[in-house]
């Protein structure tokens, strides 16, 4: 469970009141930190991620003696001090080269962590791609491709999908302009190699370009703008069940009201259901036709006469057939 702090005076009480959860939280801010030893590749990638996340990102360039998996108290201090629930820590060592640690916090304390190792040979920075870049503050389109991300059992790839989606999803938008959909970030998980090593995750950033097609619908093309990052997953720390349950709670009043007899299908169309009372079918007005009208008294007799005449004709026909056969 989360540690509860009791205020000692009015000032501390006001500060704790500011940190209380809100019905509509602000957009999550990402804080980028570096360790005592950090490679130039990780620093360049940090500048690119900072450019993608602006204005909801803060980057510190000073060295910090932090070991996230051994002692996370420093990360919790930075999170509370800068009101940042997402942290990205970069380090480099012989055992863990080009390491990027993704950290999520809840209530000022570390919720879960994931360690990734960047592959240097395939990494490309934002400046290595020519062409126009996306504007600041765009909400990206996120896509995850790979069977590992859709596993029904919680594993390192499902955790990676949850953390990466939380890092790059941006703020909530009530309405979306089509012209603002210019950035797409794709995460693809490859297959496990034959030597038994885990599958890599490939991160690609694309710029969506619309061009004239001579029709009402424009032609859509994509251009890679970087950064291009391939990494493998290292150590992970999953959230505790009690803390995760508390973090997933929704405040009262934020859930949409349930409308009776109205449903939404997979396409997004609304389907309504109407309930009618019991109807009296005897009063149902039908279409009148002359051929369906009955005579008052002559109809039953005519029907009987017709039936008897038909029977007499059948008997006569059978007698004629028997005489011919004999």
């Amino acid at each position: 469970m989360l540690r509860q702090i009791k205020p000692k005076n009015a000032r501390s009480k006001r500060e704790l009141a500011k940190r209380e959860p809100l019905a509509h939280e602000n957009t999550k801010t990402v804080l980028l930190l570096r360790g005592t030893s950090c490679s130039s590749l990780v620093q360049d990638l940090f500048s690119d991620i900072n450019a993608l996340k602006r204005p909801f990102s803060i980057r510190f360039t000073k060295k910090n003696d932090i070991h996230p998996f051994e002692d996370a108290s420093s990360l919790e201090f930075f999170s509370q001090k800068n009101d940042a629930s997402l942290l990205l820590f970069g380090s480099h060592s012989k055992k863990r080269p080009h390491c990027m640690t993704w950290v999520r916090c809840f209530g000022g304390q570390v919720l879960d962590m994931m360690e990734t190792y960047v592959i240097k040979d395939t990494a490309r920075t934002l400046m290595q791609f020519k062409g126009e870049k996306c504007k600041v503050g765009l909400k990206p389109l996120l896509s995850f491709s790979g069977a590992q991300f859709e596993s029904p059992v919680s594993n390192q790839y499902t955790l990676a999908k949850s953390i990466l989606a939380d890092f790059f999803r941006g703020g909530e938008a009530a309405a979306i302009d089509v012209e603002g959909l210019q950035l797409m970030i794709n995460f693809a998980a490859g297959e496990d190699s034959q030597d038994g090593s885990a599958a890599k995750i490939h991160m690609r950033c694309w710029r969506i370009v619309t061009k004239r097609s001579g029709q009402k619908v424009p032609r859509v093309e994509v251009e890679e703008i970087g950064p291009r990052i391939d990494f493998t997953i290292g150590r992970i720390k999953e959230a505790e069940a009690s803390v995760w349950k508390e973090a997933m709670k929704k405040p009262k009043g934020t859930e949409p009201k349930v409308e009776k007899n109205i449903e939404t299908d997979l396409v997004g169309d609304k389907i309504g259901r109407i309930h009618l009372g019991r109807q009296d079918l005897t009063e149902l007005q039908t279409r009148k036709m002359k051929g369906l009208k009955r005579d008052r008294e002559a109809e039953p007799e005519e029907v009987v006469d017709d039936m008897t005449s038909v029977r007499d004709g059948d008997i006569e026909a059978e007698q004629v057939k028997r005489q011919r056969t004999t």
Side-chain angles (χ1 to χ4, degrees), residues 259-320:
E259 298 181 358
K260 292 184 178 180
N261 303 324
I262 296 178
E263 300 176 353
T264 305
D265 58 2
L266 297 175
V267 184
D269 299 333
K270 285 187 176 181
I271 301 174
R273 185 179 299 172
I274 301 175
H275 294 274
L276 300 176
R278 189 171 183 179
Q279 297 181 351
D280 188 4
L281 299 179
T282 58
E283 299 179 357
L284 185 65
Q285 181 67 31
T286 58
R287 187 177 179 182
K288 295 181 179 179
M289 296 179 62
K290 292 183 179 179
L292 298 177
K293 290 183 178 180
R294 294 181 178 180
D295 295 338
R296 294 180 180 177
E297 297 179 356
E299 185 177 0
E301 296 178 358
E302 292 179 358
V303 172
V304 173
D305 295 339
D306 293 339
M307 293 296 292
T308 53
S309 61
V310 170
R311 291 175 182 174
D312 295 339
D314 293 341
I315 294 171
E316 293 177 358
E318 289 181 0
Q319 291 177 357
V320 172

Side-chain angles (χ1 to χ4, degrees), residues 71-101:
D71 184 14
S73 59
S74 299
L75 295 177
E76 295 174 352
F77 169 77
F78 280 113
S79 175
Q80 297 177 8
K81 192 73 174 178
N82 299 276
D83 192 17
S85 58
L86 302 174
L87 295 95
L88 187 57
F89 181 76
S91 60
H92 178 75
S93 63
K94 185 177 181 181
K95 187 177 182 180
R96 298 180 177 90
H98 312 295
C99 178
M100 297 169 63
T101 305

Side-chain angles (χ1 to χ4, degrees), residues 114-131:
M114 178 185 66
E115 201 174 56
T116 58
Y117 309 130
V118 180
I119 301 174
K120 184 178 180 180
D121 298 336
T122 58
R124 298 291 183 272
T125 61
L126 193 68
M127 298 302 295
Q128 292 179 337
F129 290 90
K130 298 181 180 180

Side-chain angles (χ1 to χ4, degrees), residues 13 24 55 102 129 158 163 167 194 205 218 253 283 289 319:
K13 187 177 181 179
H24 299 280
W102 311 73
F129 290 90
T158 57
I163 292 178
F167 261 80
Q194 298 179 356
C205 299
E283 299 179 357
M289 296 179 62
Q319 291 177 357

Side-chain angles (χ1 to χ4, degrees), residues 69 104 110-114 153-159 163 235-241 243-244:
F69 284 87
R104 283 193 297 188
V110 172
L111 180 65
D112 49 11
M113 290 187 292
M114 178 185 66
V153 182
S154 179
N155 55 20
Q156 56 185 357
Y157 292 98
T158 57
L159 178 64
I163 292 178
R235 295 178 294 178
I236 61 173
K237 178 186 177 183
E238 296 183 350
E240 297 180 3
V243 181
W244 180 260

